[in-house]
Amino acid sequence: MHIILQKLLNKRGIDDKQTLSVEEKVDYERWERILSGGDITVEKIAIFCKAQISLIEMQWKDMGNDTAKNERLIIAHTIYSSILKVITSPE
């Protein structure tokens, strides 16, 4: 068990992951898989940023978004795009 997940469970008063619900176990296993995925590399950060930009752009298509959500999406898109530009730009 990853130490971060152990601390989270302890903070929530959970002594054993077997007491989690089915949905909680799915989330827990996903988090454990991510946290044990090895070192974080610049390439992994770029892949993550591209995925987030894609998700944000999909959310923009929802015409039911309120102004606050759209503003938040614009800010997030700008941040991820800026990080990606720093990674991909020449020195």
Side-chain angles (χ1 to χ4, degrees):
M1 180 180 308
H2 198 277
I3 189 71
I4 293 174
L5 292 176
Q6 182 63 48
K7 287 181 179 181
L8 175 64
L9 292 180
N10 290 343
K11 185 176 180 179
R12 307 271 182 195
I14 302 169
D15 297 325
D16 185 15
K17 70 178 184 179
Q18 300 305 322
T19 62
L20 298 173
S21 70
V22 174
E23 295 84 10
E24 291 169 333
K25 283 181 185 177
V26 169
D27 283 339
Y28 177 86
E29 290 168 2
R30 182 172 51 92
W31 295 339
E32 190 168 39
R33 190 173 51 254
I34 290 168
L35 290 171
S36 62
D39 294 334
I40 296 176
T41 63
V42 174
E43 175 140 349
K44 286 182 182 178
I45 294 171
I47 291 168
F48 175 78
C49 288
K50 289 176 185 176
Q52 293 303 305
I53 289 169
S54 178
L55 290 172
I56 291 166
E57 290 173 352
M58 285 183 355
Q59 289 183 38
W60 276 340
K61 294 177 183 177
D62 182 2
M63 300 308 274
N65 290 345
D66 61 7
T67 304
K69 181 175 181 178
N70 281 335
E71 289 173 355
R72 203 175 53 231
L73 291 172
I74 290 169
I75 292 168
H77 191 277
T78 302
I79 291 169
Y80 289 120
S81 295
S82 297
I83 293 170
L84 196 55
K85 283 179 187 174
V86 167
I87 292 171
T88 59
S89 68
E91 290 183 38

